[in-house]
Short mmCIF file of all heavy atoms in Angstrom, two decimals:
data_model
loop_
_atom_site.label_atom_id
_atom_site.label_comp_id
_atom_site.label_asym_id
_atom_site.label_seq_id
_atom_site.Cartn_x
_atom_site.Cartn_y
_atom_site.Cartn_z
N ALA A 16 0.87 -1.22 -0.01
CA ALA A 16 0.00 -0.01 -0.04
C ALA A 16 0.83 1.26 0.00
O ALA A 16 0.57 2.23 -0.71
CB ALA A 16 -0.96 -0.01 1.23
N THR A 17 1.92 1.24 0.79
CA THR A 17 2.74 2.44 0.87
C THR A 17 3.56 2.71 -0.44
O THR A 17 3.71 3.81 -0.83
CB THR A 17 3.73 2.40 2.07
OG1 THR A 17 4.41 1.18 2.08
CG2 THR A 17 2.94 2.50 3.38
N HIS A 18 4.02 1.59 -1.01
CA HIS A 18 4.69 1.73 -2.34
C HIS A 18 3.77 2.44 -3.32
O HIS A 18 4.17 3.29 -4.07
CB HIS A 18 5.12 0.40 -2.89
CG HIS A 18 6.58 0.01 -2.56
ND1 HIS A 18 7.60 0.86 -2.73
CD2 HIS A 18 7.07 -1.15 -2.10
CE1 HIS A 18 8.72 0.31 -2.40
NE2 HIS A 18 8.50 -0.93 -2.02
N GLU A 19 2.56 1.87 -3.39
CA GLU A 19 1.58 2.44 -4.34
C GLU A 19 1.26 3.92 -4.11
O GLU A 19 1.13 4.70 -5.05
CB GLU A 19 0.31 1.60 -4.28
CG GLU A 19 -0.81 2.04 -5.32
CD GLU A 19 -0.37 1.70 -6.71
OE1 GLU A 19 0.45 0.81 -6.93
OE2 GLU A 19 -0.99 2.31 -7.62
N ALA A 20 1.25 4.33 -2.82
CA ALA A 20 0.84 5.67 -2.49
C ALA A 20 2.00 6.64 -2.41
O ALA A 20 1.83 7.82 -2.27
CB ALA A 20 0.14 5.64 -1.08
N GLY A 21 3.25 6.12 -2.56
CA GLY A 21 4.41 7.03 -2.45
C GLY A 21 4.67 7.45 -1.03
O GLY A 21 5.04 8.59 -0.74
N VAL A 22 4.41 6.51 -0.09
CA VAL A 22 4.55 6.72 1.33
C VAL A 22 5.63 5.83 1.88
O VAL A 22 5.82 4.74 1.53
CB VAL A 22 3.21 6.42 1.98
CG1 VAL A 22 3.28 6.40 3.53
CG2 VAL A 22 2.13 7.43 1.56
N GLU A 23 6.38 6.37 2.89
CA GLU A 23 7.49 5.62 3.52
C GLU A 23 6.83 4.64 4.51
O GLU A 23 5.79 4.89 5.04
CB GLU A 23 8.45 6.49 4.21
CG GLU A 23 9.31 7.33 3.35
CD GLU A 23 10.43 8.03 4.13
OE1 GLU A 23 10.69 7.70 5.27
OE2 GLU A 23 10.97 9.00 3.54
N LEU A 24 7.59 3.52 4.80
CA LEU A 24 7.17 2.58 5.83
C LEU A 24 8.35 2.38 6.81
O LEU A 24 9.43 1.94 6.41
CB LEU A 24 6.78 1.24 5.21
CG LEU A 24 6.45 0.10 6.17
CD1 LEU A 24 5.19 0.48 7.02
CD2 LEU A 24 6.21 -1.20 5.43
N LEU A 25 8.08 2.71 8.05
CA LEU A 25 9.00 2.40 9.15
C LEU A 25 8.35 1.32 10.01
O LEU A 25 7.14 1.21 10.12
CB LEU A 25 9.24 3.60 10.00
CG LEU A 25 10.31 4.64 9.49
CD1 LEU A 25 9.84 5.27 8.20
CD2 LEU A 25 10.60 5.71 10.56
N VAL A 26 9.18 0.47 10.65
CA VAL A 26 8.70 -0.55 11.56
C VAL A 26 9.15 -0.18 12.92
O VAL A 26 10.29 0.20 13.20
CB VAL A 26 9.23 -1.97 11.12
CG1 VAL A 26 9.00 -2.98 12.25
CG2 VAL A 26 8.56 -2.41 9.82
N GLY A 27 8.28 -0.36 13.93
CA GLY A 27 8.54 -0.11 15.31
C GLY A 27 9.41 -1.23 15.92
O GLY A 27 8.94 -2.38 15.88
N LYS A 28 10.54 -0.87 16.45
CA LYS A 28 11.38 -1.72 17.29
C LYS A 28 12.05 -2.91 16.62
O LYS A 28 13.23 -3.15 16.83
CB LYS A 28 10.54 -2.22 18.51
CG LYS A 28 11.28 -2.99 19.54
CD LYS A 28 10.38 -3.46 20.66
CE LYS A 28 11.07 -4.33 21.66
NZ LYS A 28 10.19 -4.71 22.79
N ASP A 29 11.33 -3.65 15.78
CA ASP A 29 11.77 -4.99 15.30
C ASP A 29 12.55 -4.85 14.00
O ASP A 29 11.90 -4.81 12.93
CB ASP A 29 10.54 -5.84 15.18
CG ASP A 29 10.88 -7.32 14.90
OD1 ASP A 29 12.02 -7.61 14.42
OD2 ASP A 29 10.05 -8.18 15.15
N ALA A 30 13.88 -4.87 14.08
CA ALA A 30 14.71 -4.74 12.88
C ALA A 30 14.54 -5.90 11.99
O ALA A 30 14.61 -5.78 10.72
CB ALA A 30 16.14 -4.54 13.31
N ASP A 31 14.30 -7.09 12.48
CA ASP A 31 14.15 -8.34 11.63
C ASP A 31 12.83 -8.20 10.87
O ASP A 31 12.79 -8.58 9.68
CB ASP A 31 14.13 -9.55 12.48
CG ASP A 31 15.46 -9.91 13.12
OD1 ASP A 31 16.51 -9.46 12.50
OD2 ASP A 31 15.50 -10.61 14.11
N LEU A 32 11.77 -7.70 11.49
CA LEU A 32 10.53 -7.51 10.79
C LEU A 32 10.68 -6.42 9.68
O LEU A 32 10.20 -6.59 8.59
CB LEU A 32 9.42 -7.10 11.77
CG LEU A 32 8.07 -6.81 11.15
CD1 LEU A 32 7.55 -8.00 10.40
CD2 LEU A 32 7.05 -6.36 12.26
N ALA A 33 11.44 -5.35 10.06
CA ALA A 33 11.65 -4.34 9.00
C ALA A 33 12.35 -4.87 7.80
O ALA A 33 12.05 -4.54 6.64
CB ALA A 33 12.49 -3.19 9.65
N ASP A 34 13.39 -5.74 8.01
CA ASP A 34 14.05 -6.38 6.92
C ASP A 34 13.06 -7.29 6.11
O ASP A 34 13.08 -7.30 4.89
CB ASP A 34 15.20 -7.27 7.41
CG ASP A 34 16.45 -6.50 7.58
OD1 ASP A 34 16.72 -5.57 6.76
OD2 ASP A 34 17.21 -6.77 8.58
N ALA A 35 12.24 -8.05 6.83
CA ALA A 35 11.38 -8.99 6.18
C ALA A 35 10.33 -8.35 5.27
O ALA A 35 9.88 -8.96 4.30
CB ALA A 35 10.63 -9.82 7.26
N VAL A 36 9.89 -7.11 5.60
CA VAL A 36 8.90 -6.45 4.80
C VAL A 36 9.49 -5.34 3.93
O VAL A 36 8.70 -4.59 3.34
CB VAL A 36 7.74 -5.88 5.69
CG1 VAL A 36 7.11 -7.04 6.46
CG2 VAL A 36 8.25 -4.76 6.63
N SER A 37 10.85 -5.27 3.84
CA SER A 37 11.50 -4.26 3.02
C SER A 37 11.12 -2.87 3.39
O SER A 37 10.81 -2.03 2.54
CB SER A 37 11.21 -4.54 1.56
OG SER A 37 11.66 -5.78 1.15
N ALA A 38 11.13 -2.57 4.72
CA ALA A 38 10.74 -1.28 5.23
C ALA A 38 11.86 -0.25 4.87
O ALA A 38 12.99 -0.59 4.54
CB ALA A 38 10.55 -1.32 6.73
N ASP A 39 11.45 1.05 4.99
CA ASP A 39 12.38 2.11 4.75
C ASP A 39 13.13 2.50 5.99
O ASP A 39 14.02 3.40 5.87
CB ASP A 39 11.59 3.37 4.21
CG ASP A 39 10.87 3.05 2.93
OD1 ASP A 39 11.57 2.65 1.93
OD2 ASP A 39 9.68 3.16 2.91
N GLY A 40 12.77 1.98 7.12
CA GLY A 40 13.46 2.39 8.34
C GLY A 40 12.92 1.78 9.62
O GLY A 40 12.06 0.90 9.54
N LEU A 41 13.35 2.31 10.72
CA LEU A 41 13.03 1.70 12.07
C LEU A 41 12.68 2.86 13.01
O LEU A 41 13.38 3.89 13.02
CB LEU A 41 14.22 0.88 12.61
CG LEU A 41 13.97 -0.06 13.79
CD1 LEU A 41 13.07 -1.21 13.29
CD2 LEU A 41 15.21 -0.54 14.33
N HIS A 42 11.67 2.60 13.84
CA HIS A 42 11.31 3.52 14.92
C HIS A 42 11.58 2.81 16.26
O HIS A 42 11.01 1.71 16.46
CB HIS A 42 9.87 3.93 14.84
CG HIS A 42 9.41 4.74 16.03
ND1 HIS A 42 9.82 6.03 16.20
CD2 HIS A 42 8.58 4.44 17.08
CE1 HIS A 42 9.31 6.49 17.33
NE2 HIS A 42 8.54 5.53 17.89
N LEU A 43 12.40 3.42 17.09
CA LEU A 43 12.80 2.80 18.41
C LEU A 43 11.97 3.36 19.54
O LEU A 43 11.74 4.59 19.64
CB LEU A 43 14.25 3.12 18.70
CG LEU A 43 15.24 2.53 17.70
CD1 LEU A 43 16.65 3.00 17.96
CD2 LEU A 43 15.24 1.01 17.71
N PRO A 44 11.51 2.48 20.47
CA PRO A 44 10.89 2.99 21.66
C PRO A 44 11.95 3.72 22.53
O PRO A 44 13.14 3.50 22.37
CB PRO A 44 10.38 1.76 22.38
CG PRO A 44 11.22 0.65 21.78
CD PRO A 44 11.58 1.05 20.43
N GLU A 45 11.51 4.59 23.41
CA GLU A 45 12.44 5.43 24.17
C GLU A 45 13.44 4.59 24.96
O GLU A 45 14.63 4.92 24.98
CB GLU A 45 11.67 6.35 25.14
CG GLU A 45 12.54 7.32 25.89
CD GLU A 45 11.80 8.31 26.71
OE1 GLU A 45 10.71 7.90 27.26
OE2 GLU A 45 12.22 9.49 26.79
N ARG A 46 12.92 3.47 25.53
CA ARG A 46 13.84 2.65 26.31
C ARG A 46 14.91 1.90 25.58
O ARG A 46 15.87 1.34 26.15
CB ARG A 46 12.99 1.63 27.12
CG ARG A 46 12.26 0.59 26.29
CD ARG A 46 11.40 -0.28 27.10
NE ARG A 46 10.72 -1.20 26.25
CZ ARG A 46 9.54 -0.91 25.65
NH1 ARG A 46 8.97 0.24 25.75
NH2 ARG A 46 8.96 -1.86 24.85
N GLU A 47 14.80 1.96 24.19
CA GLU A 47 15.80 1.25 23.39
C GLU A 47 16.47 2.23 22.48
O GLU A 47 17.11 1.87 21.47
CB GLU A 47 15.11 0.17 22.54
CG GLU A 47 14.50 -0.91 23.43
CD GLU A 47 13.97 -2.13 22.61
OE1 GLU A 47 14.45 -2.28 21.42
OE2 GLU A 47 13.16 -2.85 23.14
#
């Protein structure tokens, strides 16, 4: 959906999940 819309996709916390879905980045919780 984001590719089609020209929108970035970040994944919260989970770098492995971000890799798995070809995300554009990562968002970290404050404690991490």
Side-chain angles (χ1 to χ4, degrees):
T17 51
H18 262 317
E19 181 70 20
V22 170
E23 289 187 18
L24 176 64
L25 280 65
V26 167
K28 183 178 178 179
D29 190 337
D31 290 338
L32 177 59
D34 275 324
V36 302
S37 301
D39 301 300
L41 193 70
H42 172 72
L43 296 172
E45 185 174 35
R46 65 185 178 276
E47 297 188 21

